[in-house]
């Protein structure tokens, strides 16, 4: 697909067909993610691939709809995705080079670049996905049995979809462009 079509066709999709995604497709997605830029080329991302139904349920139990972290209902729609990729940051790798700023910002910036590559890559491969960060971090870490050195950054449900919904509108680009107004 032409690059600009990949960019403009990407949208968050939350419905999935009952159709498997091959390991080759998943591996290709990870290659896209792994090609992302990162501060100092630290590449703090790691990937956990989940297909087992019970494991998916355990992950979804840590999620919540909207911003109600405590009582919010789980994002059950995720269960329909045949594969879930959890993007995890290796905090230690980044901290060893950058110290505090690694934990405040860099791991999130790095992993988000990686995640966007995968979201765009999914479009190229004819797959659907959505960036999900509505989960209780500590609970998800426990479910995934992550060591202290690692932090979950995003859940990416992956699958095929026949979603034909309209793309969500964006604010007008011209309203957010500012041209050299700082003088004096
Ligand atoms: C950091 C981040 C966290 C998000 N978390 C969730 C989430 O927990 N659940 C969800 O359904 N969508 C989530 N989204 C998707 C947004 O709702 C979506 O990107 C936004 O509505 C714009 O729609 P679009 O992706 O189709 O352009 C998240 C997106 C980002 C960038």
């Amino acid at each position: 697909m032409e690059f600009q079509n990949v960019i403009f066709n990407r949208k968050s999709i939350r419905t999935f067909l009952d159709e498997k995604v091959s390991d080759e497709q998943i591996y290709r997605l990870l290659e896209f993610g792994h090609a992302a830029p990162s501060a100092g080329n630290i590449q703090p991302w790691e990937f956990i691939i989940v297909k087992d139904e019970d494991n998916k349920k355990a992950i979804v139990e840590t999620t919540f709809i909207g911003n109600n972290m405590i009582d919010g209902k789980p994002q059950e729609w995720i269960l329909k995705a045949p594969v879930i990729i959890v993007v995890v940051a290796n905090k230690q790798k980044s901290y060893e080079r950058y110290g505090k700023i690694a934990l405040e910002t860099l791991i999130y910036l790095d992993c988000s670049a990686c995640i966007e590559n995968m979201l765009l890559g999914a479009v190229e491969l004819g797959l659907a996905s959505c960036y999900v960060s509505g989960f209780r971090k500590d609970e998800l870490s426990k479910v995934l049995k992550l060591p202290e050195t690692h932090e979950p950054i995003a859940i990416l449900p992956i699958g095929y979809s026949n979603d034909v919904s309209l793309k969500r509108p964006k604010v007008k680009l011209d309203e957010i462009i500012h041209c050299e107004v700082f003088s004096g």
Side-chain angles (χ1 to χ4, degrees):
M1 194 184 289
E2 240 192 80
F3 183 65
Q4 56 180 319
N5 290 336
V6 170
I7 298 256
F8 292 123
N9 284 344
R10 187 213 59 80
K11 63 181 179 180
S12 297
I13 296 180
R14 300 176 180 84
T15 57
F16 299 97
L17 297 169
D18 190 12
E19 194 178 332
K20 284 199 172 127
V21 178
S22 71
D23 288 344
E24 290 72 25
Q25 297 275 77
I26 294 300
Y27 195 80
R28 194 73 184 130
L29 271 188
L30 302 184
E31 286 181 323
F32 290 146
H34 193 43
S38 59
N41 200 24
I42 292 288
Q43 307 157 55
W45 45 74
E46 294 186 18
F47 308 108
I48 300 177
I49 314 301
V50 185
K51 295 184 194 170
D52 177 84
E53 288 304 320
D54 288 338
N55 288 340
K56 282 201 280 178
K57 277 186 198 140
I59 288 172
V60 167
E61 278 305 308
T62 73
T63 66
F64 53 88
I65 292 171
N67 54 13
N68 190 346
M69 195 185 285
I70 308 297
D71 306 325
K73 291 206 169 88
Q75 301 195 46
E76 302 275 359
W77 60 271
I78 295 171
L79 287 171
K80 293 270 188 239
V83 187
I84 291 174
I85 300 174
V86 186
V87 179
V88 167
N90 182 332
K91 296 187 281 187
Q92 193 172 323
K93 257 188 179 176
S94 191
Y95 184 79
E96 279 168 7
R97 169 86 70 94
Y98 291 109
K100 214 166 107 213
I101 197 172
L103 309 184
E104 285 170 359
T105 56
L106 294 180
I107 56 166
Y108 305 107
L109 299 173
D110 292 343
C111 287
S112 283
C114 162
I115 290 161
E116 177 67 352
N117 268 16
M118 286 197 277
L119 294 176
L120 294 175
V123 177
E124 169 68 13
L125 300 179
L127 292 164
S129 188
C130 180
Y131 193 140
V132 174
S133 75
F135 54 81
R136 290 175 290 276
K137 205 166 50 182
D138 293 348
E139 263 179 49
L140 182 56
S141 299
K142 247 186 222 160
V143 165
L144 300 173
K145 298 193 164 62
L146 295 182
E148 287 282 300
T149 48
H150 289 59
E151 176 176 327
I153 305 294
I155 297 170
L156 303 183
I158 308 285
Y160 292 96
S161 181
N162 56 7
D163 178 291
V164 288
S165 63
L166 291 176
K167 281 170 53 70
R168 280 150 210 101
K170 302 294 174 188
V171 297
K172 282 205 174 69
L173 178 59
D174 289 347
E175 286 175 9
I176 53 164
I177 298 175
H178 311 281
C179 294
E180 299 184 57
V181 287
F182 50 93
S183 64

